[in-house]
Amino acid sequence: MVALSVEVGPWTGCAVLFLRSCPAVNLLSLYKDQQGKFSVFKVLKLTLTDSAGGLEGYEILKLHDADPLLGVEVKFVDVAACRRFLQSYGSGAVQQSLSQHTCRLLHIPQQELALETQLKAGTHTLDFCLDDLELCLSQAILHQSIPDRCSRLRDDEIAELDQQLQSQALGHIPQPPTLTQEEPPVPSNCFLFQKRVFEDRMLAAGDLQRFSNGVGRDWRKVGRALGKNCRALKGPAIDNLAYEYEREGLYEQAYQLLSRFIQAEGRAARLGRLVRALEDSKLTSLAENILDIQPRD
């Protein structure tokens, strides 16, 4: 492991987040479009605010056309913000936040959006060393003793978009008429279901039990929905669970599925992700049960 002395002297860190989205929206194409440019920038800024823990300690320098990828070049000037971002990326929270804001601001159903991400620092692909946070930091953090690296100013277009976003937040300008009127913003620690806001807490034992009791034969469908953003449920993982626990029945298969998701995702295994997977699987009534929503008369 690389030891870093982050307490001594000023430093700068850089990383480029590469994004690919389909099939409902292509973020690169939308950013190239003059009308969609601001919406894409707002999605990215909100995602960074969630994952870096606020508005300070970083800035977007430039957006790159790396067709078919959109590259987001980020400069960090605070090691704590950089660390939080790397932790969020490693847990899958960055991709989750990006998906939430994209669907909310661009009015895209969750099931119609697929995202792929890659994080690079120079020639180093950080996705390969996410288990070693200090190694990731050593690739991203460039101390002031290394001249002329990640020192350039941000792109003029990015500066204009950032100013436009700040003005909108202060109420100086209206929402650009490029998209339909968005709903009021949902706090980053919450999620929206049936036009109601719920706390996006970590999954608990009660959620696991209600899910296992109610999902029945649809547990595989939910597993595939969760597997879009969970490495532990990709490939043959779901079929392997079905085979391994076939004798124990549907309850145990569902129980093991969600248990594996919780174990793999850790603190990122949150209620909102399960509810969205249930929505994608057309299991709204089970989502209502888990959220303890009383049926209407």
Side-chain angles (χ1 to χ4, degrees), residues 172-288:
H172 294 168
I173 61 173
Q175 173 72 19
T178 58
L179 301 166
T180 55
Q181 185 65 35
E182 65 179 81
E183 298 173 355
V186 178
S188 59
N189 62 340
C190 299
F191 66 94
L192 199 64
F193 177 72
Q194 295 182 346
K195 298 184 179 181
R196 293 173 58 182
V197 176
F198 294 87
E199 179 188 0
D200 197 12
R201 57 174 173 77
M202 295 178 63
L203 289 171
D207 306 317
L208 184 59
Q209 186 174 10
R210 287 188 178 188
F211 171 78
S212 304
N213 277 323
V215 72
R217 296 183 180 277
D218 290 320
W219 71 268
R220 291 196 202 200
K221 188 188 302 183
V222 179
R224 285 190 289 271
L226 289 171
K228 292 178 181 178
N229 295 312
C230 177
R231 296 178 182 178
L233 298 180
K234 292 185 181 294
I238 295 175
D239 290 336
N240 290 343
L241 281 174
Y243 177 78
E244 187 175 354
Y245 296 97
E246 183 178 9
R247 292 186 178 181
E248 285 80 357
L250 295 174
Y251 176 91
E252 189 63 26
Q253 289 172 326
Y255 187 93
Q256 292 298 329
L257 169 76
L258 195 55
S259 295
R260 180 163 300 186
F261 173 74
I262 294 172
Q263 291 168 6
E265 297 296 299
R267 297 182 64 84
R270 295 190 171 270
L271 182 60
R273 294 178 70 181
L274 176 59
V275 169
R276 281 189 295 277
L278 291 171
E279 283 188 287
D280 293 348
S281 305
K282 312 300 182 186
L283 297 173
T284 305
S285 60
L286 180 54
E288 292 173 344

Side-chain angles (χ1 to χ4, degrees), residues 36-277:
K37 191 181 297 290
F38 177 77
S39 297
V40 173
F41 179 78
K42 187 173 182 179
V43 166
L44 297 174
K45 196 65 181 285
L46 289 173
T47 299
L48 281 169
T49 300
D50 291 345
S51 56
L55 296 170
E56 303 297 328
Y58 66 90
E59 64 177 349
I60 299 175
L61 288 182
K62 186 176 178 63
L63 268 65
H64 297 274
D65 180 355
D67 196 11
L69 306 177
L70 174 64
V72 186
E73 185 176 352
V74 184
K75 176 181 178 180
F76 293 94
V77 293
D78 178 76
V79 68
C82 186
R83 185 186 296 273
R84 284 191 294 267
F85 173 78
L86 290 171
Q87 289 173 330
S88 296
Y89 184 82
S91 69
V94 169
Q95 191 176 51
Q96 180 186 359
S97 180
L98 182 65
S99 178
Q100 286 179 343
H101 291 305
T102 299
C103 291
R104 182 172 62 85
L105 293 178
L106 304 183
H107 298 274
I108 300 169
Q110 184 76 29
Q111 63 269 25
E112 295 183 12
L113 178 67
L115 286 169
E116 297 177 11
T117 61
Q118 184 182 65
L119 187 64
K120 302 192 73 171
T123 60
H124 303 283
T125 301
L126 301 186
D127 299 73
F128 298 148
C129 56
L130 292 174
D131 293 335
D132 191 338
L133 182 60
E134 300 306 317
L135 180 57
C136 285
L137 281 169
S138 73
Q139 306 293 356
I141 294 177
L142 306 172
H143 290 266
Q144 197 177 48
S145 59
I146 305 177
D148 300 326
R149 297 188 64 186
C150 200
S151 59
R152 64 185 179 85
L153 299 176
R154 62 179 175 173
D155 186 76
D156 289 342
E157 183 176 63
I158 296 299
E160 292 176 5
L161 289 169
D162 203 20
Q163 183 61 47
Q164 185 179 349
L165 184 59
Q166 291 179 36
S167 298
Q168 185 187 88
L170 294 173
H172 294 168
I173 61 173
Q175 173 72 19
T178 58
L179 301 166
T180 55
Q181 185 65 35
E182 65 179 81
E183 298 173 355
V186 178
S188 59
N189 62 340
C190 299
F191 66 94
L192 199 64
F193 177 72
Q194 295 182 346
K195 298 184 179 181
R196 293 173 58 182
V197 176
F198 294 87
E199 179 188 0
D200 197 12
R201 57 174 173 77
M202 295 178 63
L203 289 171
D207 306 317
L208 184 59
Q209 186 174 10
R210 287 188 178 188
F211 171 78
S212 304
N213 277 323
V215 72
R217 296 183 180 277
D218 290 320
W219 71 268
R220 291 196 202 200
K221 188 188 302 183
V222 179
R224 285 190 289 271
L226 289 171
K228 292 178 181 178
N229 295 312
C230 177
R231 296 178 182 178
L233 298 180
K234 292 185 181 294
I238 295 175
D239 290 336
N240 290 343
L241 281 174
Y243 177 78
E244 187 175 354
Y245 296 97
E246 183 178 9
R247 292 186 178 181
E248 285 80 357
L250 295 174
Y251 176 91
E252 189 63 26
Q253 289 172 326
Y255 187 93
Q256 292 298 329
L257 169 76
L258 195 55
S259 295
R260 180 163 300 186
F261 173 74
I262 294 172
Q263 291 168 6
E265 297 296 299
R267 297 182 64 84
R270 295 190 171 270
L271 182 60
R273 294 178 70 181
L274 176 59
V275 169
R276 281 189 295 277

